[in-house]
Amino acid sequence: MDFSLSQEQLAIVDAVASLCRDFDDEYWASRDRSGQFPSEFHQAMAKAGWLGIAMPSAHGGAGLGILEAALVVQAVAASGAGMSGASAVHMNIFGLHPVVVFGSAAQQERWLPPLIRGEQKACFAVTEPNTGLNTLKLKTMARREGDHYVVHGQKVWISTAQVADKMLLLARTSPAEASSGNHGLSLFYTDLDRERVQVHEIDKMGRKAVDSNQVFIDGLRIPIEDRIGEEGEGFRYILHGLNPERILIAAEAVGLGRVALGRAQRYANERVVFDRAIGKNQAIAHPLAQRWMELEAAHWMTMRAAWLYDQGQSCGAEANAAKYLAAEAGYHACETAVMTHGGMGYAKEYHVERYFRESLIPRIAPVSRELILSFIAEKVLGLPKSY
């Protein structure tokens, strides 16, 4: 058993952290206030090659694994960029995994290099307002008409759709009543034609630098060559990327919790009340110690899940557990950071209130805590299926 990172992996963390130092707390606070996409950060990450960390080297990527990708997004979040910074590059780093695994050579050559170079941004359009996590009940319909599909439907909580050039879209190509099992949904990667796709931003409480949207699709024409793999197999292609997505979200949550804990630790050492640093008080010190332990446990579960995935081994339980544990640890670390600061924790100048708002994201997305608990109960403990 070796729990140490390689010299190459440590160098990745150091290099990403160094790049992030050019984007300080005020940069992210200003983006949080304005809701402006962090284009400068996105381009800096692209120029340094980090957007291609887990993409094939044949198309300009680094050809490394999900473990290295997790280290990148964790370092971004831990720099103070939080979920906003991680989300700004998340889709580019791993969103086109279905293309890497199931796309043709021509599709990979056409789509991956512009994404890796930061010339294009993509959004991931799966969730719908009336289906939530019940993906097999999606209603957005893509009807085949000759050499095109014509799409009508609605999506919700679609990140970066305000700035995206391309869209990874899951849509129904067979009526639900005519579909059996996981069949009937198809996956497309296509231009986001704003004449046929209306994007309405959702006003939300956190991660404001990266937009979330409702998307209305009315007659979008998608060439057949923009379909990934076989018709009707899109759900299977999406499933293949669920474990890596959970691992990346877990890594981001740990990074967010670490930057919050670091701020709380410094404040507890510096803040003097009744002639003593508040960190001397066990009511302050003990919760911070608990948060450190929780974050470390979540981190190493995340690393194990990533390692298993990269080794081609089953990692469903570990990836889900990592996402659950990291989301909880990150949330509690951010909450504790606010409380450690007392009244100043509510003030924007200390940044922990921003982290706290963002810490709710990994608890909700991309899968709820309750579904993870149900998965572990059924798949690991052998209990009856509850849904």
Side-chain angles (χ1 to χ4, degrees):
M1 297 175 69
D2 184 359
F3 288 94
S4 60
L5 298 177
S6 69
Q7 289 302 310
E8 180 185 42
Q9 291 165 340
L10 290 171
I12 289 171
V13 174
D14 288 343
V16 174
S18 178
L19 182 153
C20 289
R21 280 194 284 273
D22 291 333
F23 301 89
D24 60 12
D25 292 325
E26 184 50 40
Y27 175 85
W28 293 107
S30 68
R31 294 303 182 274
D32 185 64
R33 288 192 297 269
S34 68
Q36 181 183 354
F37 184 82
S39 299
E40 305 89 348
F41 174 73
H42 177 270
Q43 286 302 302
M45 290 288 286
K47 185 177 180 180
W50 298 121
L51 299 189
I53 185 74
M55 294 290 187
S57 56
H59 301 294
L64 298 177
I66 188 64
L67 196 153
E68 287 78 16
L71 292 174
V72 168
V73 296
Q74 185 179 87
V76 168
S79 74
M83 298 302 295
S84 290
S87 297
V89 297
H90 180 109
M91 181 64 184
N92 283 60
I93 286 178
F94 204 74
L96 283 200
H97 184 66
V99 175
V100 174
V101 178
F102 301 106
S104 67
Q107 288 175 331
Q108 292 178 21
E109 181 57 35
R110 182 157 57 103
W111 293 333
L112 297 183
L115 202 72
I116 292 169
R117 293 192 298 262
E119 296 167 358
Q120 293 180 345
K121 301 183 187 73
C123 63
F124 190 36
V126 174
T127 307
E128 294 184 5
N130 295 317
T131 57
L133 292 171
N134 193 0
T135 306
L136 288 172
K137 298 298 183 182
L138 294 183
K139 300 183 186 308
T140 296
M141 194 74 191
R143 299 187 185 278
R144 179 79 176 268
E145 294 184 2
D147 60 355
H148 280 71
Y149 290 86
V150 179
V151 185
H152 295 269
Q154 182 180 354
K155 300 290 182 178
V156 72
W157 291 113
I158 310 307
S159 297
T160 72
Q162 292 286 335
V163 297
D165 312 285
K166 308 284 285 188
M167 176 169 55
L168 187 67
L169 173 69
L170 187 65
R172 182 167 298 286
T173 44
S174 298
E177 58 272 16
S179 303
S180 58
N182 296 341
H183 191 77
L185 300 173
S186 297
L187 190 61
F188 304 90
Y189 186 66
T190 194
D191 293 335
L192 203 166
D193 179 358
R194 295 184 184 272
E195 291 187 3
R196 295 294 181 182
V197 180
Q198 295 183 33
V199 179
H200 299 289
E201 188 168 0
I202 298 170
D203 192 14
K204 58 188 189 297
M205 69 179 290
R207 204 202 65 175
K208 293 188 177 183
V210 178
D211 52 272
S212 299
N213 306 274
Q214 293 190 70
V215 174
F216 301 88
I217 305 171
D218 184 15
L220 177 66
R221 292 177 63 82
I222 301 180
I224 191 172
E225 57 266 25
D226 286 358
R227 188 191 71 217
I228 300 168
E230 300 178 25
E231 183 176 287
E233 295 299 321
F235 185 73
R236 180 168 64 88
Y237 302 154
I238 288 291
L239 281 179
H240 189 84
L242 292 185
N243 288 332
E245 184 182 32
R246 282 152 172 69
I247 293 167
L248 290 187
I249 290 290
E252 294 164 13
V254 169
L256 180 66
R258 282 178 169 174
V259 70
L261 180 62
R263 280 193 170 274
Q265 174 190 349
R266 290 192 296 274
Y267 192 82
N269 275 313
E270 297 168 358
R271 174 65 167 156
V272 175
V273 179
F274 297 116
D275 301 321
R276 55 190 278 137
I278 63 172
K280 285 187 175 181
N281 302 319
Q282 291 178 345
I284 297 292
H286 285 182
L288 295 177
Q290 285 181 285
R291 301 298 88 85
W292 181 86
M293 290 187 284
E294 291 163 0
L295 287 168
E296 284 297 296
H299 168 73
W300 288 112
M301 177 59 84
T302 303
M303 293 296 100
R304 171 151 176 79
W307 183 85
L308 287 170
Y309 180 85
D310 289 339
Q311 298 301 311
Q313 298 185 37
S314 174
C315 67
E318 290 80 3
N320 277 281
K323 189 271 183 188
Y324 181 96
L325 294 171
E328 296 302 295
Y331 170 80
H332 289 299
C334 292
E335 179 188 38
T336 300
V338 171
M339 300 307 292
T340 300
H341 284 74
M344 298 313 295
Y346 210 64
K348 289 185 180 293
E349 67 177 289
Y350 285 86
H351 300 282
V352 290
E353 63 82 29
R354 171 166 58 89
Y355 304 151
F356 182 59
R357 285 185 281 116
E358 293 191 347
S359 72
L360 289 167
I361 297 170
R363 296 184 94 201
I364 298 169
V367 61
S368 69
R369 297 174 296 162
E370 291 74 21
L371 272 182
I372 287 179
L373 292 171
S374 293
F375 176 89
I376 296 297
E378 178 191 349
K379 302 297 184 181
V380 178
L381 302 181
L383 300 177
K385 187 172 182 177
S386 61
Y387 63 95

